[in-house]
Amino acid sequence: MGYPDRPGWLRYIQRTPYSDGVLYGSPTADNVGKPTIIEITAYNRRTFETARHNLIINIMSAEDFPLPYQAEFFIKNMNVEEMLASEVLGDFLGAVKNVWQPERLNAINITSALDRGGRVPLPINDLKEGVYVMVGADVPFSSCLREVENPQNQLRCSQEMEPIITCDKKFRTQFYIDWCKISLVDKTKQVSTYQEVIRGEGILPDGGEYKPPSDSLKSRDYYTDFLITLAVPSAVALVLFLILAYIMCCRREGVEKRNMQTPDIQLVHHSAIQKSTKELRDMSKNREIAWPLSTLPVFHPVTGEIIPPLHTDNYDSTNMPLMQTQQNLPHQTQIPQQQTTGKWYP
């Protein structure tokens, strides 16, 4: 009440709009003696009727009932709202009491695994989020709880294997304990690091009268700094430019010196390649130039008559056979053959 949100130590969870909501948490020593008023407002989804209720939480100090030995268990098959049920929590404390055998045993803190950086489980096989439950007692830890600290079980935990705990069967019927994540805290052996803070009056020591700087400040000339800032880089850039210009323009060997150092036969080959390239480029630009010699009319080898090329410009070469016989070849010249009678026939 009077604040925009709940206290920092108090959490609220409600799985679905139709399931019960649960308030849970563990206050700190700073909240002792301060009554916390929780203002609860609810409404009916059908009639939209609104109701309001104030929940008063009185926080008392636990110094009168010290529990120096604290053990935190991680239960894998429970969600936090399931663990907060009185009958479930009572069964868990009864199982711990059978293993620990203390005179007083209380639940100190219950936290969801999601609040400790756990992942949301997949919605298969009825997987649970897991819950951390810290309990405190007034007697040292039992030998069963100490079994987690032996080297064999520590090695198995490092290899992601389940440790061997003799008293696990007392929990297995209802609670699946991850013994690799159990934490045992003995506050009787902890060295207090608290240092008493000496509070002063909140007044700084007298440092004398404050003297602000004078209004008549001496003017400063930045002209020299400006020239140095621009002149030095400009001079360096100019020198580099002149050196580069000398190398690029004045140190060139030229085409004549290159030709003098090149063999004549290589120059001839290079010139012939250039001429052929130029001629091919000119031919590709002008399609109306004369036909190559292979397509020009030739003389008949016997009669001496001029005959046209084998195919005209409009001849369809797609229907021409790959190999032409003597009968298919036009303008074929018959070579005379000598007969046995000594006569010649065309």
Side-chain angles (χ1 to χ4, degrees):
M1 179 179 292
Y3 294 92
D5 200 358
R6 302 181 307 273
W9 57 269
L10 189 62
R11 294 185 176 90
Y12 175 78
I13 186 171
Q14 186 179 15
R15 294 292 176 180
T16 64
Y18 302 98
S19 61
D20 294 337
V22 180
L23 280 169
Y24 69 100
S26 298
T28 61
D30 297 336
N31 306 115
V32 175
K34 299 178 182 178
T36 302
I37 303 176
I38 305 299
E39 189 178 31
I40 303 173
T41 304
Y43 69 93
N44 192 321
R45 289 180 175 271
R46 295 182 179 179
T47 63
F48 294 97
E49 182 181 359
T50 304
R52 179 170 295 175
H53 176 70
N54 292 336
L55 175 65
I56 301 176
I57 303 176
N58 294 317
I59 303 173
M60 297 181 296
S61 175
E63 295 180 357
D64 298 335
F65 307 96
L67 300 174
Y69 302 96
Q70 300 176 1
E72 187 178 53
F73 299 86
F74 177 64
I75 305 174
K76 297 185 290 185
N77 64 326
M78 288 284 177
N79 288 335
V80 61
E81 70 275 9
E82 299 173 350
M83 194 65 198
L84 287 171
S86 58
E87 60 276 6
V88 178
L89 184 58
D91 294 342
F92 178 74
L93 293 179
V96 176
K97 192 171 184 179
N98 292 334
V99 174
W100 202 339
Q101 298 295 331
E103 296 181 3
R104 286 200 322 264
L105 182 69
N106 291 330
I108 298 177
N109 188 16
I110 300 177
T111 308
S112 173
L114 299 183
D115 297 332
R116 297 284 188 90
R119 296 184 178 181
V120 178
L122 296 175
I124 56 176
N125 299 331
D126 196 21
L127 295 177
K128 303 294 184 178
E129 298 172 356
V131 59
Y132 288 90
V133 180
M134 177 176 286
V135 297
D138 55 349
V139 296
F141 303 108
S142 63
S143 59
C144 175
L145 299 179
R146 291 287 187 184
E147 291 179 1
V148 185
E149 299 178 348
N150 63 51
Q152 292 80 7
N153 286 330
Q154 292 294 327
L155 178 62
R156 295 178 66 90
C157 288
S158 62
Q159 297 175 354
E160 298 184 357
M161 299 175 61
E162 188 174 356
I164 301 175
I165 306 297
T166 57
C167 57
D168 181 58
K169 58 184 179 180
K170 296 183 179 181
F171 296 91
R172 184 66 64 175
T173 56
Q174 188 177 359
F175 306 99
Y176 292 165
I177 306 296
D178 188 349
W179 293 100
C180 291
K181 293 185 178 180
I182 189 173
S183 175
L184 304 178
V185 179
D186 186 358
K187 289 191 173 183
T188 60
K189 297 181 180 180
Q190 292 182 355
V191 180
S192 177
T193 58
Y194 177 76
Q195 296 180 357
E196 184 180 359
V197 179
I198 301 176
R199 301 183 181 274
E201 298 178 355
I203 302 176
L204 296 176
D206 187 11
E209 184 180 357
Y210 174 70
K211 296 181 180 179
S214 175
D215 296 336
S216 58
L217 296 177
K218 183 179 180 180
S219 61
R220 181 178 178 183
D221 187 9
Y222 292 95
Y223 181 73
T224 305
D225 299 338
F226 176 75
L227 290 180
I228 295 176
T229 304
L230 294 182
V232 174
S234 301
V236 174
L238 180 61
V239 172
L240 295 177
F241 175 76
L242 294 177
I243 295 175
L244 183 61
Y246 173 75
I247 296 174
M248 298 295 296
C249 300
C250 302
R251 299 289 296 176
R252 297 184 62 183
E253 297 179 352
V255 179
E256 296 180 357
K257 185 175 182 180
R258 183 198 63 187
N259 294 341
M260 292 175 60
Q261 296 178 354
T262 305
D264 295 340
I265 186 65
Q266 187 175 354
L267 293 176
V268 171
H269 290 170
H270 181 69
S271 178
I273 293 173
Q274 283 187 334
K275 290 180 181 179
S276 301
T277 304
K278 184 176 182 301
E279 182 179 358
L280 291 175
R281 289 179 178 176
D282 295 340
M283 290 175 63
S284 64
K285 294 179 181 178
N286 187 8
R287 299 293 182 180
E288 302 299 330
I289 62 175
W291 290 87
L293 296 178
S294 60
T295 61
L296 294 177
V298 296
F299 292 96
H300 196 277
V302 177
T303 62
E305 298 178 354
I306 298 176
I307 60 176
L310 295 179
H311 307 293
T312 60
D313 295 340
N314 299 328
Y315 178 75
D316 187 8
S317 61
T318 59
N319 298 327
M320 189 178 73
L322 296 177
M323 298 181 64
Q324 294 181 346
T325 59
Q326 293 183 358
Q327 290 78 8
N328 296 333
L329 293 175
H331 312 295
Q332 182 178 9
T333 303
Q334 299 291 337
I335 301 176
Q337 298 181 1
Q338 185 177 3
Q339 304 295 330
T340 56
T341 58
K343 297 183 180 180
W344 296 86
Y345 296 93

